[in-house]
Amino acid sequence: MRLPYFLTSALIFAVSAGICLLGASYAVTKVEENSELAVRRALSLKGHEWAEVQSDGLRVVLTGIAPDEATRFNALTAAGSEVDTSRVIDEMEVAPTADLAPPLFSAEILRNESGISVIGLIPASVDREALMARLQGLDEGARVFDLMESADYQKPDGWDDAISYAVLALSKLPRAKISASPDLVKITAIADSQKEKERLEQELTRAAPPSVRIGLAISAPRPVITPFTLRYLITESGGVFDACSAQDEKARDTIVKAAQTAGLTGPYTCTIGLGVPSPRWAEAAKLSIAALADIGRGSITMSDADISLIAEVGTDPALFDRVVGELENALPEVFALHAVLPKPEAEEQAGPIEFTATRSPEGLVQLRGRLGDELQRDMINSYARAAFGSDQVHSAARVVEQLPQDWPVRVLAGLESLSWLNNGVLTVTPDSVALTGMSHDQDAKAVIAGMLSAKLGDAQEFTLSITYQAPPEPEDALPDPEQCESRIVEVQAGGKITFEPGSATVASGSRDSLNQIAEILRECGPIRMEIQGHTDSQGREEMNQQLSQSRAQSILNELRARRVPTSSYSAVGYGETQPIADNGTEEGREENRRIEFRLIRPEPVARQETGLEALETQASSTDATQPVDDASDTDAGDQ
């Protein structure tokens, strides 16, 4: 039976349509697979494994979270290199940007004669006007310059403490640079003297809050020594310095080594300062001391470029002439030598020609002896009353004619020297000035030697026998922090602070030790102290750290209960990280379970050379053009 024509045509059309549909579907699937594979391969080669690829017909959909916008754009570019960019559908996301780290806030404060300047970056929440008002309050007449920038970030921990401490430190320092940041305050300043430097360091260390680390670089400029003086004597008991000055450490070492070769005994001081008359000062001192040692006994005095060598009575004249001649030829050109060989004294005249002045520990001064005329006596009495106090001077000096012409100069110079002593005796004769006594000033002997050398003139003999005694501590003076720390260590050596097992409760047997420590800390006043807790290695490290912190805090609380001011103390637990003994034994573990009291010391800050010191160093290096004598170098090294 033949099918009708229209049915045959319809059947053929339907079959053809089906075949076309299958072919189109296969082609689309193939295109999708090829496009997806090509894009995946391109993204993988570029390192974009985070990106997901999905084909949807001719469209290629990219999904995933890109680390940043640049990476997302790079992934789009890679996909577009394989398929038409119009087919690429971007559904990728960019990871949210992490909060930017806050900047490092700091303020640098400079104070000098021109005013106060503040520069740096501070949090926007800081009250700038209040800070400027605090700085202006340090000196109402000074100008305060605000050169700070601000950033809108949260104020870091410790910022207020650091700034408050910086302002407090600046109130004590008229010339200083202070760099304040949340965790560290660096102070660079100049003190007028070494004593002032030590006082400021102690005050600033005590005043710093425990949460602030400090770095101190306080320098005391080298003193200007005028005249630049050295005086060395050789007596029956050996060599001794009355005064010693040097321009630097190298020169000081050279001088001291020469003195040791010549028989230096006992302690000595040699001041490093400015004002050296020649960069070859140390060479001249070395040659002069060696010459005195060759003679035997006597004294050598250097005052700037003048050198006086005085031999002992009875020195062999031939030896004296030879040594003096060699020294004169060996000294650098700028130095002038005056050598004296005293003659044996003739028969004594009736009554000694001398003037004496005594100063008692209470300050009473008595004047006795001979003066040339009434005018001299009035002048000497007036000077003494001005120097020692009008109510402290008693004069019993008498007028005698035919005294040496330079007698009033010698007496006045001696009285000025006596004023440097707390008590002592001055004896003036035609041939010498002798001064004995005690001073609370460690530099008094050197100052007096320089003064007498300048006022008496060249080749004049004087004898100094001055002892130093440390001045008595004021009744309200606080103990040295180092001594406080040592005393606490001694207490703990006699009775260790212990706790109940596994807790932060102080054992009853440690109460006496805590009471003694509290008494010491009350005497010491405000010092920066860290109370450290330590454990052994038994148990978990985290638990040991927590236990050590709790124990340190418990000690801090115990001190507060005993009315010890603890605002400058901090409690820190170190756990098992700082053992002092072997944790493998019971004895070692017992030693490691401990409480320590440690001073919070300033951090060292590199010292910068001052401009005057730099010029002095430069002058010393450029002026020293003459070579040092080889023979003298060899002699100095033979000890």
Side-chain angles (χ1 to χ4, degrees):
M1 178 179 176
R2 291 183 65 183
L3 294 174
Y5 176 76
F6 73 91
L7 288 177
T8 303
S9 300
L11 183 60
I12 293 172
F13 181 80
V15 172
S16 300
I19 293 172
C20 290
L21 182 61
L22 290 174
S25 177
Y26 175 78
V28 168
T29 302
K30 198 66 177 175
V31 170
E32 286 181 350
E33 291 178 353
N34 290 339
S35 298
E36 184 174 333
L37 288 174
V39 172
R40 284 184 184 278
R41 185 166 51 251
L43 292 175
S44 180
L45 291 174
K46 294 292 186 179
H48 303 307
E49 284 80 4
W50 52 268
E52 297 291 335
V53 182
Q54 183 179 1
S55 296
D56 183 12
L58 295 178
R59 300 191 312 163
V60 177
V61 182
L62 302 182
T63 59
I65 299 178
D68 51 54
E69 185 64 32
T71 305
R72 184 193 71 83
F73 183 77
N74 189 270
L76 279 175
T77 304
S81 65
E82 297 295 330
V83 299
D84 191 272
T85 54
S86 62
R87 295 170 52 195
V88 179
I89 306 303
D90 178 14
E91 294 185 0
M92 295 180 290
E93 297 179 359
V94 178
T97 304
D99 293 337
L100 294 176
L104 297 176
F105 290 111
S106 65
E108 188 164 290
I109 310 174
L110 177 65
R111 183 181 184 186
N112 54 30
E113 294 79 4
S114 301
I116 302 174
S117 302
V118 190
I119 189 171
L121 180 65
I122 64 173
S125 58
V126 172
D127 189 343
R128 299 169 70 117
E129 294 184 0
L131 177 58
M132 292 300 104
R134 292 171 67 187
L135 294 174
Q136 187 67 67
L138 301 180
D139 186 353
E140 295 295 339
R143 300 176 61 188
V144 179
F145 302 93
D146 181 0
L147 306 175
M148 295 182 293
E149 299 289 341
S150 62
D152 192 10
Y153 285 87
Q154 185 176 0
K155 188 187 301 182
D157 294 337
W159 174 262
D160 289 335
D161 287 345
I163 292 298
S164 296
Y165 174 66
V167 175
L168 173 64
L170 201 67
S171 67
K172 303 176 181 294
L173 303 168
R175 292 166 294 173
K177 182 183 75 172
I178 301 179
S179 299
S181 58
D183 61 340
L184 177 64
V185 177
K186 294 182 179 180
I187 300 174
T188 304
I190 299 177
D192 293 331
S193 64
Q194 184 66 27
K195 291 182 180 179
E196 180 74 5
K197 172 181 179 293
E198 294 172 358
R199 182 187 65 81
L200 287 172
E201 287 178 341
Q202 189 173 101
E203 287 186 3
L204 293 174
T205 301
R206 286 179 179 272
S211 59
V212 176
R213 294 162 47 227
I214 62 173
L216 299 180
I218 301 177
S219 60
R222 292 178 180 176
V224 177
I225 303 174
T226 176
F228 217 76
T229 307
L230 181 146
R231 179 173 166 82
Y232 185 74
L233 299 89
I234 300 179
T235 62
E236 295 179 357
S237 57
V240 63
F241 276 115
D242 271 354
C244 179
S245 306
Q247 70 268 37
D248 53 37
E249 288 80 2
K250 182 178 179 181
R252 178 194 61 194
D253 294 344
T254 299
I255 294 170
V256 171
K257 185 176 180 180
Q260 290 171 342
T261 303
L264 175 64
T265 59
Y268 64 87
T269 58
C270 195
T271 305
I272 297 177
L274 306 176
V276 64
S278 168
R280 302 183 69 183
W281 169 268
E283 179 189 353
K286 176 180 173 182
L287 293 170
S288 301
I289 293 173
L292 181 63
D294 289 342
I295 289 176
R297 294 178 186 175
S299 67
I300 189 77
T301 304
M302 300 177 62
S303 178
D304 288 334
D306 295 320
I307 302 176
S308 299
L309 189 156
I310 301 178
E312 187 180 49
V313 175
T315 300
D316 182 8
L319 173 63
F320 179 80
D321 292 341
R322 178 181 64 81
V323 172
V324 170
E326 292 175 352
L327 180 58
E328 286 179 336
N329 287 282
L331 284 173
E333 292 183 1
V334 71
F335 293 94
L337 175 65
H338 306 272
V340 176
L341 178 59
K343 297 179 180 179
E345 294 184 2
E347 297 181 0
E348 293 188 359
Q349 301 176 359
I353 301 178
E354 68 176 21
F355 174 89
T356 61
T358 59
R359 186 178 191 184
S360 69
E362 296 77 21
L364 299 176
V365 177
Q366 294 188 359
L367 309 180
R368 292 187 176 88
R370 304 184 179 188
L371 295 174
D373 52 39
E374 290 290 343
L375 181 61
Q376 284 187 21
R377 183 163 62 181
D378 292 342
M379 177 182 65
I380 298 299
N381 289 342
S382 297
Y383 179 85
R385 291 188 177 96
F388 304 105
S390 58
D391 296 335
Q392 304 294 320
V393 177
H394 171 72
S395 177
R398 65 192 184 94
V399 176
V400 177
E401 298 180 353
Q402 297 181 346
L403 292 178
Q405 186 175 1
D406 62 346
W407 190 255
V409 175
R410 301 171 70 83
V411 171
L412 288 173
L415 288 176
E416 184 176 359
S417 301
L418 183 63
S419 67
W420 280 80
L421 304 184
N422 293 84
N423 60 80
V425 177
L426 166 70
T427 303
V428 181
T429 67
D431 298 323
S432 69
V433 174
L435 184 65
T436 62
M438 182 276 294
S439 174
H440 292 323
D441 188 343
Q442 198 166 7
D443 298 328
K445 190 173 184 179
V447 172
I448 292 171
M451 182 171 57
L452 290 178
S453 176
K455 293 183 178 298
L456 297 181
D458 300 333
Q460 294 296 315
E461 176 68 11
F462 58 90
T463 304
L464 303 179
S465 179
I466 300 171
T467 58
Y468 165 74
Q469 291 184 10
E473 293 288 341
E475 294 182 359
D476 58 347
L478 295 174
D480 183 74
E482 302 286 346
Q483 296 177 356
C484 298
E485 186 181 46
S486 300
R487 291 173 61 190
I488 293 175
V489 171
E490 292 176 0
V491 171
Q492 289 186 284
K496 180 181 178 181
I497 297 177
T498 58
F499 298 84
E500 299 294 336
S503 76
T505 303
V506 179
S508 58
S510 299
R511 301 294 178 182
D512 288 343
S513 295
L514 268 176
N515 290 336
Q516 294 180 53
I517 292 173
E519 181 65 27
I520 292 171
L521 292 175
R522 280 195 293 268
E523 294 175 4
C524 292
I527 57 176
R528 281 162 43 92
M529 180 73 74
E530 183 178 84
I531 303 172
Q532 301 179 353
H534 302 273
T535 67
D536 57 26
S537 61
Q538 301 293 303
R540 291 191 297 126
E541 182 177 351
E542 181 180 357
M543 293 188 63
N544 285 335
Q545 199 284 327
Q546 293 174 354
L547 179 61
S548 65
Q549 179 65 47
S550 298
R551 287 179 170 178
Q553 186 63 45
S554 177
I555 297 299
L556 185 61
N557 294 337
E558 291 284 348
L559 294 176
R560 287 171 178 162
R562 288 166 171 77
R563 300 184 180 277
V564 176
T566 59
S567 60
S568 58
Y569 298 175
S570 62
V572 180
Y574 289 93
E576 60 188 67
T577 60
Q578 297 183 8
I580 59 173
D582 183 9
N583 275 309
T585 65
E586 180 57 37
E587 294 79 7
R589 290 192 292 272
E590 176 62 28
E591 288 188 52
N592 290 330
R593 296 191 292 268
R594 67 196 191 276
I595 290 291
E596 293 184 353
F597 293 79
R598 298 297 181 196
L599 290 175
I600 303 176
R601 293 175 170 84
E603 299 184 5
V605 178
R607 180 185 180 276
Q608 297 181 349
E609 188 176 42
T610 64
L612 193 56
E613 292 172 353
L615 290 174
E616 184 89 2
T617 303
Q618 182 179 5
S620 297
S621 61
T622 55
D623 283 351
T625 57
Q626 298 186 22
V628 179
D629 184 71
D630 293 337
S632 61
D633 280 345
T634 304
D635 294 339
D638 295 336
Q639 293 197 50

